């Protein structure tokens, strides 16, 4: 009998070159993103650690660093549930409280203000420059990253990119990419999470870095020209279908969310123009109700996590509905 040879029709389809982009969003953003990632893995029969590029901003930087270090999403789920006896992260205390500590008597970045006045950076980026420098304790973040990567080292995944903003130029920097200054993963995560007015800037080799979210909630456009065919974008700070809360503070948060959504819209359009398929996920109305107006409030974390477990299956199905 002649041996059957495989043809193009019988060969299994090659997995697309895929980027995973994890956006900013504080405590609530991480609690929402993890169940969504868990559901995506099931729907795509895929492991998020296998993404060809991992891009993380702020809270998303923590998740990208963990994935880059080989930590599975299942372990993140167990951590959110409080089921890990050896977890290096205390969800109730390690991000601080719902309000920042008293800030330092210094501004975050006067250079950003000047650049904003000249129209060289966005209004949001410029405004963060007049906020005082935060003084949150970042040692728990360092301890978490050091529990999965040797102190001073980078993630084993070669294309783990941690997004931060240069405090002098206002430019986004993909820490971990070849054109960025070398930096230990623990400090890169702290730099990406350096929320103005809340967490301290990170100075490394003469440059000061701030939260990547002050320039873009996702920085999805950084994967253009990198050989990827598909980009999965999780944007906790965006929402194309926001709710209509009664609380004045929640309405203020939704206004900021609309601003962030417009940035994500522009970046997704750039990806699609470059021929990259985009799977975009963001909180829906039920998620937003659970999140409230303070993305940093640890008291709402469990509710956001539980809600996202309910909403993720339908959200993922909708996001994948038009995917070839």
């Amino acid at each position: 009998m002649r041996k059957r040879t495989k043809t193009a029709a019988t060969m299994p389809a090659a997995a697309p070159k895929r980027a995973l982009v994890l956006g900013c969003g504080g405590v609530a953003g991480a609690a929402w993103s993890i169940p969504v990632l868990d559901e995506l893995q099931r729907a795509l029969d895929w492991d998020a650690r296998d993404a060809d590029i991992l891009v993380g901003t702020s809270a998303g930087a923590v998740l990208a660093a963990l994935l880059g270090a080989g930590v599975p999403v299942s372990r993140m789920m167990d951590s959110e549930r409080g089921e890990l006896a050896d977890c290096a992260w205390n969800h109730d205390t390690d991000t601080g409280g719902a309000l920042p500590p008293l800030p330092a008597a210094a501004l975050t970045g006067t250079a950003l203000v000047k650049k904003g006045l000249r129209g060289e950076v966005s209004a949001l980026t410029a405004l963060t420059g007049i906020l005082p420098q935060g003084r949150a304790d970042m040692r728990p973040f360092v301890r978490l990253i050091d529990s999965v990567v040797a102190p001073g080292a980078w993630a084993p995944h070669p294309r783990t990119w941690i997004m931060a903003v240069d405090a002098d130029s206002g430019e986004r920097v993909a820490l971990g990419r070849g054109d960025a200054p070398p930096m230990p993963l623990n400090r890169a995560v702290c730099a990406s999470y350096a929320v103005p007015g809340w967490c301290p800037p990170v100075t490394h080799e003469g440059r000061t870095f701030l939260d990547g979210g002050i320039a873009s909630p996702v920085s999805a456009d950084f994967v253009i020209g990198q050989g990827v065919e598909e980009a999965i974008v999780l944007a906790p700070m965006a929402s194309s279908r926001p709710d209509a809360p009664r609380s004045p503070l929640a309405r203020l948060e939704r206004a900021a969310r609309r601003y962030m959504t417009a940035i994500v819209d522009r970046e997704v359009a750039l990806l699609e123009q470059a021929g990259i398929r985009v799977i975009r996920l963001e909180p829906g109305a039920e998620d937003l109700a659970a999140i409230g107006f303070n993305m940093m409030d640890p008291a709402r974390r469990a509710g956001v996590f539980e809600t996202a477990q309910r909403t993720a299956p339908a959200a993922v199905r909708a996001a994948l509905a038009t995917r070839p």
Side-chain angles (χ1 to χ4, degrees):
M1 180 181 292
R2 189 171 62 183
K3 186 177 180 179
R4 183 170 179 253
T5 58
K6 290 185 177 181
T7 66
T10 59
M11 288 283 286
K17 294 287 186 180
R18 181 178 284 153
L20 176 60
V21 181
L22 301 168
C24 64
V27 177
W32 172 84
S33 295
I34 292 170
V36 173
L37 273 177
D38 186 56
E39 184 62 31
L40 265 170
Q41 289 190 140
R42 276 192 292 272
L44 293 173
D45 190 23
W46 169 73
D47 191 317
R49 295 172 294 179
D50 293 335
D52 296 279
I53 303 176
L54 293 163
V55 181
T57 301
S58 200
V62 179
L63 304 185
L66 293 175
L67 290 170
V71 178
V73 174
S74 59
R75 186 167 176 82
M76 299 182 202
M77 291 286 288
D78 290 341
S79 173
E80 286 281 349
R81 295 187 183 105
E83 296 176 356
L84 291 179
D86 61 342
C87 186
W89 185 258
N90 185 319
H91 287 283
D92 295 326
T93 63
D94 282 354
T95 52
L99 297 174
L102 288 175
L107 297 181
T108 291
T110 54
L112 296 179
V113 180
K114 295 174 183 177
K115 284 186 171 292
L117 293 173
R118 294 195 295 265
E120 296 173 2
V121 298
S122 71
L124 174 63
T125 304
L127 285 172
T128 60
I130 63 173
L131 293 174
Q133 292 184 12
R135 294 200 301 178
D137 183 3
M138 301 304 287
R139 286 176 297 179
F141 289 83
V142 173
R143 185 170 61 245
L144 172 64
I145 300 305
D146 287 353
S147 72
V148 295
V149 172
W154 195 256
H157 191 302
R159 303 183 86 184
T160 302
W161 297 348
I162 305 300
M163 301 305 305
V165 169
D166 186 297
D168 290 323
S169 68
E171 296 178 347
R172 290 175 291 162
V173 180
L175 299 169
R177 201 168 70 170
D179 57 354
M183 183 185 294
L185 186 62
N186 53 16
R187 288 184 61 77
V189 168
C190 291
S192 187
Y193 210 105
V195 183
W198 202 300
C199 303
V202 170
T203 299
H204 183 75
E205 295 186 354
R207 296 176 68 180
T208 299
F209 297 96
L210 302 170
D211 189 327
I214 69 173
S216 169
V218 290
S219 288
D221 54 325
F222 266 56
V223 307
I224 295 173
Q226 300 298 321
V228 300
E229 303 163 64
E230 187 170 83
I232 298 172
V233 180
L234 271 61
M237 282 298 297
S239 187
S240 301
R241 294 181 296 277
D243 59 352
R246 295 181 180 179
S247 163
L249 289 174
R251 288 201 297 270
L252 184 63
E253 190 273 351
R254 300 307 188 263
R257 187 174 288 275
R258 286 193 293 273
Y259 179 89
M260 296 289 193
T261 302
I263 296 174
V264 177
D265 289 344
R266 289 196 295 270
E267 293 182 7
V268 166
L270 289 172
L271 264 64
E272 292 175 339
Q273 290 167 17
I276 299 172
R277 295 191 302 271
V278 179
I279 300 171
R280 173 177 174 174
L281 286 137
E282 54 196 30
E286 190 176 348
D287 301 298
L288 293 176
I291 289 169
F293 63 85
N294 184 354
M295 302 285 287
M296 297 291 282
D297 186 357
R300 302 186 75 93
R301 177 196 61 82
V304 173
F305 177 70
E306 292 168 3
T307 300
Q309 289 179 88
R310 293 196 305 272
T311 60
V316 168
R317 282 196 303 271
L320 297 179
T322 58
R323 178 176 178 268

